[in-house]
Amino acid sequence: MDQRNTRTPKPPRLLLDGLFAFPPNRETLGGTAYFIVEKPGNILLDCPIWDEETQQFLKEQGGVKSLLLTHRGAITPSVKSLQAALGSEILIQEQEAYLLPDVPLTPFEQEITLISNLTAIWTPGHSPGSCCAYWQRHEGVLFTGRHLLPSTQGEPTPLRLAKTFHWFRQLDSVALLRDRFSSDTLNYICPGANTGFLRGKGLINDAYHKLKALDLLSLRQHPISL
C-alpha cells in the first residue's frame, strides 16, 4: 500500500486568536493560505488544499464570506469549486482578474475593504496585481503573499526571482508599506510562502522594525534568485 495516500492531512494551525494557517499547498508551489474568523464574515487569503477536510473545516467555522487572491501564483483550479461550495465572493487586483475569465469576481484598483478591519492593498512588483492584506487586530497583521517572504534567517524580505514582474516596482511597494505603518500599527507579518524558514513560529513578529530595517537601496542591485 502506498503510505503517501494513507497519511492524515494536517489540520489548519491556530496562529493567533481568530487566525489559522493552512498547510503548504503543492498546487501553489508550497503557498500558505490563511483563514480569518470575524463576526462580519470570515475571510480566506489565497487557496488552501481543496479537499473534504478543508471544506468541512471552513463550513464548521461559519463559511467564507470572501476569498482574496494576493497574486496570480495563488490561483488554483479549485477556485470555482470553492466558490460553488461556499458561495464566497472572490476578490483580486484588476490586473490579475483576466486569469479567471469564467469566475464571478470583484476586482479592485488601489485598495478595497473586505470587512471593517481588513483592507487589501495593491503592491505591484512580484506580479502586476500582487496585493497585501492588512488586518487591524493583534496590533496589526500584514498578509504579504509573495510580495515579502522570509529569508533563510526568517526575516521579511522581497525576493528577486526569475519570474518577478518588475523588481523596482516591488521595492517601491515595500517602501509604501514601510511609510504607511508604524511600530504601533504593524506587529506581525504572515507571508504567503517559505514559511518553513520561520522555524515553527508560523509568523514574523516585530514586523515594523524588521520592515524598516530593509536596505531598499542595496536591494535595487540584488541579483536574481533561482
Side-chain angles (χ1 to χ4, degrees):
M1 181 179 293
D2 188 345
Q3 295 297 317
R4 293 174 298 178
N5 296 327
T6 62
R7 293 175 182 171
T8 302
K10 290 183 179 179
R13 175 185 177 188
L14 182 66
L15 298 181
L16 298 167
D17 182 34
L19 174 61
F20 294 86
F22 284 91
N25 187 350
R26 290 183 180 180
E27 289 189 328
T28 57
L29 301 179
T32 296
Y34 296 92
F35 182 62
I36 294 173
V37 179
E38 283 279 17
K39 289 183 180 179
N42 299 333
I43 307 297
L44 186 60
L45 303 169
D46 295 335
C47 293
I49 299 168
W50 186 242
D51 55 20
E52 291 183 6
E53 288 76 14
T54 297
Q55 185 171 336
Q56 183 65 26
F57 169 80
L58 294 174
K59 288 183 176 180
E60 288 174 352
Q61 295 296 325
V64 176
K65 176 181 182 288
S66 302
L67 164 62
L68 174 67
L69 297 167
T70 62
H71 62 291
R72 62 185 59 198
I75 299 171
T76 68
S78 62
V79 168
K80 292 184 71 173
S81 298
L82 188 153
Q83 187 178 53
L86 301 172
S88 308
E89 175 187 33
I90 297 177
L91 300 98
I92 192 168
Q93 205 280 332
E94 60 184 13
Q95 294 189 63
E96 314 272 76
Y98 76 95
L99 296 167
L100 291 167
D102 301 322
V103 178
L105 298 171
T106 300
F108 69 95
E109 184 180 359
Q110 297 286 341
E111 295 187 12
I112 191 169
T113 299
L114 286 77
I115 53 177
S116 61
N117 63 2
L118 183 69
T119 302
I121 307 163
W122 181 38
T123 51
H126 170 74
S127 68
S130 176
C131 71
C132 295
Y134 176 67
W135 189 31
Q136 295 175 23
R137 287 189 63 187
H138 303 291
E139 300 179 58
V141 183
L142 187 66
F143 302 87
T144 58
R146 281 187 164 89
H147 175 59
L148 289 166
L149 293 174
S151 67
T152 54
Q153 291 77 39
E155 303 295 305
T157 186
L159 295 180
R160 189 179 187 185
L161 306 173
K163 293 184 178 181
T164 297
F165 164 65
H166 198 293
W167 180 233
F168 292 166
R169 288 188 191 178
Q170 185 169 350
L171 296 181
D172 289 344
S173 295
V174 174
L176 289 173
L177 291 176
R178 178 199 61 199
D179 297 342
R180 180 181 182 125
F181 298 113
S182 69
S183 58
D184 294 326
T185 60
L186 181 57
N187 194 23
Y188 297 107
I189 284 175
C190 290
N194 289 19
T195 51
F197 290 142
L198 300 180
R199 308 294 191 271
K201 292 188 294 184
L203 41 71
I204 299 170
N205 58 9
D206 195 24
Y208 174 73
H209 292 107
K210 291 174 181 177
L211 183 61
K212 188 177 180 181
L214 287 171
D215 186 344
L216 299 182
L217 184 60
S218 295
L219 283 169
R220 294 181 79 87
Q221 310 303 320
H222 203 280
I224 295 174
S225 301
L226 298 179

